[in-house]
């Protein structure tokens, strides 16, 4: 499986960030995810956060699972603004999405949310979760070129 270029990674993370901004503008938490095909160019799906149990990544992975074959999904990349929580990483795993790229890690998110009742962050990095599985899911992140943009949106949102 080939890897996306740095330019593709940055471009797709910025698109996921635009999805997160739209989610926040609609009154949801500011998380966004997109699924990109094996060509590293074709955006197949976009999803913003819906609710506390319908996170952007999990909803997107479930939709992808219903829409595409597991073999096809193994060549796809899920781009997300923030490192997936344990629930979302597990859903990515079970959907058979072969690559994950995130802009900001979950520990940095915790610095903005603190003990916020709407986001009780689990301290379980996605790499740790994937390491306990049987699939070699490629993970890239955090990505410094977009991390500050994502952090600003979260800082603004969680301190309101």
């Amino acid at each position: 499986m080939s890897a996306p270029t740095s330019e593709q990674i940055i471009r797709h993370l910025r698109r996921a960030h635009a999805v997160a901004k739209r989610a926040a503008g609609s009154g949801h938490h500011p998380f966004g995810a997109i699924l990109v095909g094996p060509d590293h160019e074709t955006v197949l799906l976009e999803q913003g956060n819906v609710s506390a149990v319908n996170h952007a990544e999990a909803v997107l992975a479930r939709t992808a699972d219903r829409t595409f074959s597991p073999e096809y999904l193994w060549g796809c990349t899920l781009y997300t603004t923030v490192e997936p929580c344990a629930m979302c990483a597990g859903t990515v795993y079970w959907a058979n999405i072969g690559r994950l790229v995130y802009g900001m890690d979950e520990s940095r998110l915790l610095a903005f949310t603190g003990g916020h009742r709407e986001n009780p962050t689990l301290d379980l990095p996605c790499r740790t979760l994937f390491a306990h599985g049987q699939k070699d899911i490629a993970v890239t992140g955090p990505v410094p070129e977009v991390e500050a943009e994502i952090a600003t949106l979260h800082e603004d949102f969680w301190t309101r």
Side-chain angles (χ1 to χ4, degrees):
M1 176 168 56
S2 69
T5 66
S6 293
E7 183 273 328
Q8 289 169 321
I9 288 171
I10 292 165
R11 181 167 28 96
H12 292 314
L13 282 173
R14 285 196 169 126
R15 182 159 176 178
H17 185 56
V19 173
K21 286 180 180 178
R22 286 195 306 271
S26 297
H28 302 288
H29 294 167
F31 300 96
I34 66 170
L35 183 68
V36 176
D39 65 357
H40 303 297
E41 287 295 328
T42 306
V43 176
L44 303 168
L45 299 169
E46 292 186 347
Q47 182 64 56
N49 214 62
V50 178
S51 71
V53 295
N54 289 298
H55 296 178
E57 303 92 341
V59 173
L60 185 143
R62 287 185 207 109
T63 302
D65 178 66
R66 287 189 306 271
T67 308
F68 304 104
S69 72
E71 296 77 22
Y72 183 76
L73 286 173
W74 187 249
C76 293
T77 304
L78 189 148
Y79 290 85
T80 183
T81 52
V82 178
E83 179 180 9
C85 71
M87 174 181 69
C88 292
T91 309
V92 167
Y93 177 88
W94 288 109
N96 208 47
I97 298 169
R99 181 180 304 278
L100 171 71
V101 178
Y102 64 87
M104 182 175 80
D105 63 30
E106 192 169 21
S107 63
R108 182 132 187 231
L109 174 66
L110 180 58
F112 299 122
T113 61
H116 199 290
R117 63 179 176 76
E118 291 182 23
N119 197 45
T121 302
L122 288 165
D123 185 15
L124 180 59
C126 66
R127 286 178 175 90
T128 301
L129 187 141
F130 293 148
H132 290 276
Q134 299 176 31
K135 301 175 186 182
D136 189 19
I137 296 173
V139 179
T140 301
V143 177
E145 293 87 348
V146 297
E147 190 173 17
E149 300 164 40
I150 294 166
T152 298
L153 177 62
H154 281 274
E155 184 174 33
D156 292 347
F157 183 87
W158 297 105
T159 57
R160 273 193 261 149

